[in-house]
Amino acid sequence: MLAITKENFKLAANEWTSKDLPGFIYVLKSVTASLLALCLCMVFNLQMPQTSVFTLFIVMQPFSGLVFSKSFYRLIGTVLGTIMAIALLGAFAQDRVSFTIFFALWVGLCSAVGFMARNFMTYGFVLSGYTIALVTMPIIETPSEVFNFGIDRLSEVLIGLLSASFVSEVLFPQNLSKSLIKSEKNKFKLILENLLNKQSLFNFETPTINYSRDILGSDSLRVNSSFETNLKKVDKIYYKRLNFEFMHICTTFFSLRNIINNSKDDNVFLESLKKIYDDFEVALKEFQEKPIEAKNINSLLFKLKEVKAKSKNIIEEEKHRLQLNSFESQNDFRSITHLIKRLENELYEYCNTYYNFISKNKKIKISQNFAQNLKFSTYSDNVLIFTMITRATFALIVMMSLWMITGWHYAVFAVIPAVANTLLVSTAPNPYGITKNMIIGTVLGLLITPIYNFYLIPAYVNDLFTLCLVLTPALAFISLLMILPGKSLMGFGILLIFINTCAIYTHYNMTFEFFADISIATIIGMLISAYSFVLMDFASNAWIESRVKKVLSKQISVLTQDDLALQRTKLEMLNFDLMQRYSMVGRLDNKTNSKIFIWILSTLEIGKSIINIRKKQTMFTQRKPVQIRIILNYLVKLFNEKDKTDKDKIVVKFKKLMNDLGNKHLKSANDQVLLKEIYLELSIIYSIIKNRKFLPLNEEN
């Protein structure tokens, strides 16, 4: 019993260390940094220490690299916003209408650019938008004070950023390098677990696993790790390459799965494919129970090399045994076996890179220039950008109009939460739902803050030390909510009302009338922000499906006609980013989310084949076969055509042209080899377009 108790205690301790301790450290970091920032603001006699505390809570993250990254972009955004605030108020001090118009234009611009940016760069642009409200609104009726007021707010923000960075790096250092290693290890295990069971390929009832979050999340961690000094340059290159190779395997695997689905009713054909896959599956299963260590991965590499060598003979044997007679079966078999071989090669390269990574091999430096030239491409939708601009400007203009029409002095304080919430939440998933949770937090904040303003602070605060003691429970409670899953937005809502209305000043000067007016203004601003999302929330599942179809159809057209600017990696990155963008703006259900992911993967495979075809056709020593150009043109028509009958005719013509191309014999041996390779790429395209439910085609009449 004693041994069992010790074991249970050890398990409990490990679980607490891995799950609960990080949250405790985050709360401790947030409270310590908040009190440090508060004390510094008091020492320097700055008027609004709460600005520093609010800034700190916004940039505080579990890891130092994330804090540095977010602080860097926050500083840039605040500086730009402060400069713009001084310029606007200086130019339109007496003209409220012109000030509102140019303010709205700036907010709209920041909203649009923020949506197009990635990672914390988005936050920097958002900050430059609502910093104008933070700097100008409190002194809008005394514009001559704008410069000093703006410099004070900038100083408070800077103190908050420095406090967060100091506490994160010096007192509680937690680097991203461990998270990056853990992320890559999880991805490595994830892809092997998916590949080692052939049922993931041949059981078509199981849902498609969406790996876009793993891919984009790893890239985000890698980018933010650049702000840490402990991560070596060679490791960053490894992380980038591992992510790209993981992405290649994902797209190849799902292309293979979709094409196999064409023959799901042909048991003999499927059994033959399973036999081809058997050796690959066995090699992976032998590795399944072993730790992910260099020696075990090295053994796996030898196994995979043996499998690759045997695959060609097994494929030929199965091809002869099946005696494929029809064009359809021959084409599918050719496409599937090619993708199986490609999957084996890609997994071998991925395992080899991972082996070199954990072995600390410096060979990756040879490919450094290649890796540095690859960046994640981002997708932008003009309709979505216009929506972001409209929301932000709507919230601002409504609040400014309320102030100008009513003359209510505190209406200007409603502009700050209205603009800030609209800009911050616009780029988050389900902004309307987020705003509702934030309003719940705001209501809770209205219950907590009066206790501080009218009881705790007047009764117990005598100096800076006692102020810190009194504030600690509230700051700890807010930071705890912000780290708990599903509670962070509620915590942010409490923070917003607490920081805006709590008497955190160098001298206590809180009255009930002031508190009530500021609270009402904050709530009005939040409600207007929420209403902007209700009014302009048309990102339904059907609308997103329609937009994705248009984007992917256009992509096929671009690939077949424009210069070869899109290489395979760039094409994959662009489409995974597209997936993330539409997941953010809409409340996609699982069915639609899965459907769009399959559309993107199918289009990716077709796009890669188009790129390979167009590259190879430039290498012909003599005139290239005209059928290639015609087939690519038919492919574009297939994606744009609406009539079902016309689509069927296009597929028939596609097949006929492929037959002509397959029977064509060129004089040059080099050209004949190129033609064979192009024909193989066309086979993959044909196998994919046969099953149109996997394609983002226009509605069929």
Side-chain angles (χ1 to χ4, degrees):
M1 285 296 295
L2 185 62
I4 295 173
T5 303
K6 286 182 178 179
E7 184 66 25
N8 289 341
F9 177 79
K10 185 178 179 181
L11 289 172
N14 290 335
E15 184 177 352
W16 184 83
T17 303
S18 61
K19 294 183 178 180
D20 297 331
L21 182 60
F24 176 77
I25 292 175
Y26 175 84
V27 172
L28 192 58
K29 282 169 58 176
S30 299
V31 173
T32 304
S34 299
L35 297 178
L36 175 61
L38 178 65
C39 292
L40 289 173
C41 288
M42 294 289 188
V43 168
F44 290 112
N45 200 31
L46 295 172
Q47 295 179 2
M48 298 175 64
Q50 60 266 45
T51 303
S52 188
V53 177
F54 184 74
T55 298
L56 187 141
F57 270 97
I58 293 296
V59 301
M60 185 57 72
Q61 300 288 324
F63 298 100
S64 301
L66 298 177
V67 174
F68 298 153
S69 177
K70 201 168 187 180
S71 297
F72 174 75
Y73 290 114
R74 164 93 200 213
L75 180 61
I76 292 176
T78 303
V79 170
L80 287 175
T82 302
I83 293 172
M84 198 65 187
I86 295 171
L88 282 179
L89 204 56
F92 306 108
Q94 305 301 323
D95 189 349
R96 296 178 177 179
V97 175
S98 297
F99 172 80
T100 301
I101 291 172
F102 281 94
F103 188 2
L105 290 173
W106 177 256
V107 168
L109 176 64
C110 292
S111 177
V113 179
F115 175 74
M116 291 186 285
R118 285 181 57 82
N119 300 319
F120 289 138
M121 191 181 294
T122 295
Y123 178 64
F125 287 110
V126 166
L127 255 295
S128 64
Y130 81 73
T131 296
I132 296 182
L134 189 67
V135 171
T136 60
M137 290 299 100
I139 48 92
I140 191 71
E141 295 178 356
T142 54
S144 59
E145 300 177 14
V146 65
F147 182 78
N148 291 333
F149 190 82
I151 296 301
D152 284 348
R153 299 298 76 73
L154 182 59
S155 301
E156 291 156 1
V157 168
L158 184 59
I159 287 174
L161 299 180
L162 291 174
S163 299
S165 301
F166 172 77
V167 170
S168 294
E169 180 66 8
V170 179
L171 300 184
F172 302 99
Q174 288 181 286
N175 295 317
L176 278 173
S177 53
K178 291 182 179 179
S179 292
L180 275 166
I181 293 172
K182 184 178 179 181
S183 172
E184 290 304 329
K185 186 175 182 179
N186 289 338
K187 282 164 57 184
F188 188 81
K189 291 169 63 178
L190 189 66
I191 201 68
L192 288 184
E193 287 171 3
N194 199 31
L195 295 178
L196 62 81
N197 185 357
K198 66 166 70 80
Q199 291 305 314
S200 58
L201 268 178
F202 295 94
N203 184 357
F204 308 108
E205 302 303 320
T206 56
T208 303
I209 303 173
N210 189 337
Y211 289 116
S212 58
R213 286 186 180 180
D214 300 285
I215 294 166
L216 295 166
S218 293
D219 185 70
S220 178
L221 283 175
R222 180 188 59 78
V223 169
N224 289 313
S225 69
S226 301
F227 289 84
E228 295 181 351
T229 57
N230 68 320
L231 195 64
K232 296 178 182 178
K233 191 174 183 179
V234 66
D235 288 336
K236 293 178 184 177
I237 298 172
Y238 266 119
Y239 287 127
K240 184 180 287 190
R241 168 167 277 197
L242 283 168
N243 209 26
F244 293 152
E245 291 177 349
F246 178 87
M247 184 165 54
H248 293 338
I249 293 171
C250 290
T251 52
T252 300
F253 175 81
F254 289 114
S255 297
L256 178 59
R257 188 175 189 264
N258 289 346
I259 295 177
I260 291 175
N261 187 73
N262 292 339
S263 306
K264 62 182 179 181
D265 297 325
D266 189 340
N267 292 328
V268 175
F269 189 79
L270 290 181
E271 288 303 318
S272 182
L273 296 178
K274 288 177 182 178
K275 188 174 180 180
I276 295 171
Y277 196 81
D278 276 344
D279 288 338
F280 187 55
E281 181 185 43
V282 169
L284 296 180
K285 282 188 174 179
E286 287 180 10
F287 178 79
Q288 185 180 12
E289 301 300 327
K290 298 178 181 178
I292 301 178
E293 298 172 352
K295 62 177 183 179
N296 293 330
I297 297 177
N298 193 38
S299 300
L300 176 61
L301 286 169
F302 279 109
K303 287 285 185 182
L304 290 175
K305 190 179 288 187
E306 292 176 1
V307 170
K308 287 167 60 181
K310 291 171 61 178
S311 284
K312 187 175 181 180
N313 292 332
I314 297 174
I315 289 170
E316 288 300 320
E317 289 174 6
E318 291 304 310
K319 182 180 179 180
H320 179 74
R321 188 179 68 81
L322 285 173
Q323 296 182 346
L324 304 169
N325 296 319
S326 69
F327 173 85
E328 303 292 340
S329 58
Q330 289 176 1
N331 191 81
D332 282 349
F333 187 83
R334 186 187 306 113
S335 303
I336 291 167
T337 52
H338 174 72
L339 289 175
I340 289 175
K341 288 190 288 185
R342 194 172 85 187
L343 185 65
E344 293 170 352
N345 288 328
E346 289 174 349
L347 183 64
Y348 180 85
E349 291 300 322
Y350 180 63
C351 291
N352 189 49
T353 303
Y354 196 83
Y355 169 76
N356 290 328
F357 168 64
I358 62 177
S359 302
K360 303 300 179 184
N361 194 318
K362 301 294 191 271
K363 263 196 321 187
I364 195 73
K365 285 188 175 180
I366 298 172
S367 304
Q368 180 173 342
N369 293 331
F370 168 77
Q372 286 178 336
N373 290 331
L374 292 174
K375 295 181 180 179
F376 257 85
S377 303
T378 57
Y379 166 75
S380 298
D381 187 311
N382 292 333
V383 175
L384 293 179
I385 292 172
F386 178 76
T387 304
M388 302 294 174
I389 294 172
T390 306
R391 282 173 177 166
T393 55
F394 170 82
L396 171 63
I397 291 172
V398 168
M399 296 315 305
M400 292 294 286
S401 299
L402 177 67
W403 169 57
M404 288 185 282
I405 292 171
T406 64
W408 182 37
H409 173 71
Y410 291 96
V412 294
F413 292 97
V415 176
I416 299 174
V419 174
N421 185 71
T422 305
L423 287 173
L424 283 170
V425 177
S426 283
T427 55
N430 189 9
Y432 176 60
I434 287 175
T435 305
K436 285 198 299 184
N437 288 330
M438 286 178 62
I439 291 175
I440 293 172
T442 302
V443 173
L444 291 175
L446 288 173
L447 299 176
I448 296 171
T449 310
I451 299 174
Y452 271 83
N453 281 342
F454 306 114
Y455 176 65
L456 294 177
I457 293 177
Y460 298 103
V461 173
N462 300 312
D463 50 25
L464 184 55
F465 177 73
T466 53
L467 177 63
C468 291
L469 284 180
V470 169
L471 290 176
T472 295
L475 297 176
F477 177 64
I478 292 171
S479 60
L480 178 62
L481 286 179
M482 294 186 75
I483 197 64
L484 290 177
K487 304 295 183 183
S488 59
L489 301 168
M490 194 179 298
F492 185 80
I494 297 174
L495 174 69
L496 191 65
I497 199 73
F498 186 79
I499 291 300
N500 278 342
T501 60
C502 189
I504 309 176
Y505 307 106
T506 51
H507 302 287
Y508 180 80
N509 60 351
M510 178 59 65
T511 65
F512 181 79
E513 290 79 7
F514 179 77
F515 170 73
D517 284 331
I518 290 292
S519 299
I520 292 170
T522 302
I523 293 173
I524 290 174
M526 293 289 289
L527 289 174
I528 291 298
S529 174
Y531 182 69
S532 71
F533 291 112
V534 174
L535 191 64
M536 286 161 271
D537 184 28
F538 53 86
S540 64
N541 289 341
W543 182 85
I544 292 175
E545 287 183 20
S546 175
R547 294 300 297 172
V548 171
K549 283 180 180 180
K550 289 181 180 179
V551 171
L552 296 177
S553 296
K554 184 179 179 181
Q555 193 176 90
I556 295 296
S557 180
V558 169
L559 285 169
T560 55
Q561 297 173 17
D562 289 6
D563 293 335
L564 283 172
L566 287 173
Q567 304 304 318
R568 177 184 177 182
T569 300
K570 187 174 181 180
L571 181 68
E572 288 176 332
M573 291 185 295
L574 185 67
N575 281 276
F576 279 115
D577 186 72
L578 180 150
M579 181 73 199
Q580 186 191 47
R581 295 285 175 176
Y582 282 111
S583 294
M584 284 169 52
V585 299
R587 299 180 293 277
L588 295 182
D589 55 35
N590 291 332
K591 182 179 179 181
T592 300
N593 198 62
S594 178
K595 184 193 299 182
I596 291 176
F597 186 59
I598 292 172
W599 286 350
I600 287 174
L601 291 171
S602 299
T603 309
L604 267 177
E605 191 61 57
I606 293 173
K608 288 185 292 183
S609 293
I610 292 172
I611 290 172
N612 292 336
I613 290 168
R614 294 190 62 199
K615 279 183 179 179
K616 294 180 188 301
Q617 72 178 2
T618 61
M619 302 176 188
F620 281 105
T621 56
Q622 299 178 0
R623 186 177 179 182
K624 62 187 177 185
V626 69
Q627 289 92 341
I628 299 174
R629 178 180 57 80
I630 298 173
I631 286 174
L632 294 181
N633 288 338
Y634 275 132
L635 188 60
V636 175
K637 288 182 180 179
L638 178 67
F639 274 81
N640 294 322
E641 185 59 60
K642 292 184 178 181
D643 188 80
K644 182 180 183 300
T645 304
D646 289 340
K647 287 179 184 177
D648 293 335
K649 290 178 180 178
I650 289 171
V651 174
V652 171
K653 291 177 181 178
F654 194 106
K655 176 181 174 180
K656 182 179 183 303
L657 288 166
M658 280 191 63
N659 268 321
D660 294 343
L661 209 57
N663 296 324
K664 199 169 188 65
H665 297 283
L666 304 180
K667 295 179 180 179
S668 167
N670 176 71
D671 289 356
Q672 191 64 38
V673 171
L674 288 172
L675 182 61
K676 183 179 179 181
E677 292 173 351
I678 289 173
Y679 188 81
L680 182 56
E681 299 292 346
L682 291 172
S683 296
I684 294 173
I685 294 175
Y686 181 75
S687 294
I688 292 173
I689 65 174
K690 280 197 308 181
N691 197 339
R692 299 210 288 265
K693 72 177 183 180
F694 294 141
L695 295 174
L697 301 179
N698 288 318
E699 296 298 326
E700 298 182 345
N701 298 325

